[in-house]
Amino acid sequence: MKYPTQKIALAYFACALVLFAAQVTFGLVVGYIYVDPNFLSELLPFNIARMIHTNALVVWLLLGFFGAAYYLIPEEAERDIESPKLAYAQLILLMVGASGAVIGYLFRIHEGREFLEQPLWVKLGIVVAALMFLYNVTMTVLKGRKTAVSNVLLLGLWGVALFFLFALYNPDNLTVDKIYWWYVVHIWVEGVWELVMAAVLAFLLLKLTGVDREVVEKWLYVIVALSLFTGLLGTGHHYYWIGTPAYWQWIGSIFSTLEVIPFFAMVVFAFVMVWKGSRDHPNKAALLWALGCATLAFFGAGVWGFMHTLSPVNYYTHGTQVTAAHGHLAFFGAYVSLNLAIMTYAFPYLRGREPYNQVMNMASFWLMSGGMAFMTFTLTFAGTIQTHLQRVNGEDFMSVQEQLALFYWMRLGSGVAVVVGALLFIYALAVPRREIVAPGETAGAVPAE
């Protein structure tokens, strides 16, 4: 660790991992409710459990992004973070808001808009925390070295904050409401979050492979251009059936089909950098997560997104388990894996030790990835059958759900594997192996570049 203020990232990563554990646990509860619908029905209804599951996911991913920024920006800018106190105050504000939102959900206090259920006071707190963060990292970059990695990361993070402002507007017209809602939900995950992903992935590959910065930056610019070109108008694939003009079926189909390209470019980028790299970095687990991130994001967001993005197909599959299959693998590949990759890379430096528990860390990668892949296939088959029975044959929703029970049991089993993998990952980061942290072995633990 070159700069003392990089230590801020440790607090963010620790809070993110706590919420990660909560998110997968509530995911398991939701999965069980699918096979036993009356489970906890009075204490924790399905909609509240699902709300906590999805909100915890979004918050811990954002905490991971903030932690990644506080870790990598000092190295990129070659100076300490502008105000460490502001960074810690921002974390406290975010955790108070997240805790308040969860307590509110348990007492049925929420706004009812999927993913944006937070009460207004929580949303305003998020805006304040975002302003504190943007001031802190922007001033750090402006007063230090400017690189493509830090510039793209800032562009993505500013985009996250700006598009969140649409969450504050809740118009009476349902069509307009849905348009603004997708400005947040879609443009975050298939627009500005991709910039954050590309920047963090570029930083990791710079450190892990030793490839020239100039080569990495050229790839980064190409990926950013492709992400913005396809992702912004690709939002149109959510406008097919919400009351917007029919031309959105053409725009959405064409541009969302092209959204596969930046994810494919990231796969090529990651593997070419590893192939060309001359550095034999000791942290093999971080490299595995980085390569896994690009690959799983391509399949989850790219391939599975393409499977039902064309409007004639989406007419039948919209809102079925096919959507759930795409959503689970896309989030896991693109953003969960990215956060776990930067944590795996940064934790040894943040804690002043060499990479440790790598075998357990890599085992957690295969367990979580395997579980999520099995869950994706299971939900895809379930969604295909659901589409035929419900949308083609016209059978009622609950009757179809009963016929999908076997798939929901298999989904629950894969969810158990993901939870066990997540706990293994947290243990691997939190508890170092004694033989590796013996005195005298850790003095040279500095970033490789």
Side-chain angles (χ1 to χ4, degrees), residues 7-23 56-67 87-88 90-96 98-99 339 343 347 426:
K7 199 80 173 180
I8 297 168
L10 185 59
Y12 277 82
F13 288 154
C15 292
L17 288 174
V18 170
L19 289 177
F20 178 38
Q23 180 240 327
L57 169 69
V58 174
V59 175
W60 89 256
L61 291 180
L62 286 173
L63 288 173
F65 291 163
F66 294 149
Y88 286 117
Q90 175 208 343
L91 178 60
I92 292 170
L93 184 59
L94 285 170
M95 292 308 293
V96 168
S99 304
N339 270 301
M343 289 179 193
F347 253 73
I426 294 170

Side-chain angles (χ1 to χ4, degrees), residues 88-137:
Y88 286 117
Q90 175 208 343
L91 178 60
I92 292 170
L93 184 59
L94 285 170
M95 292 308 293
V96 168
S99 304
V102 170
I103 293 171
Y105 295 162
L106 293 175
F107 287 95
R108 318 294 191 263
I109 302 172
H110 55 80
E111 292 194 349
R113 301 169 80 197
E114 190 179 10
F115 300 117
L116 304 178
E117 297 96 344
Q118 310 83 31
L120 181 61
W121 71 270
V122 175
K123 288 191 175 79
L124 293 176
I126 293 172
V127 172
V128 173
L131 290 174
M132 293 162 70
F133 171 74
L134 291 173
Y135 167 80
N136 219 359
V137 294

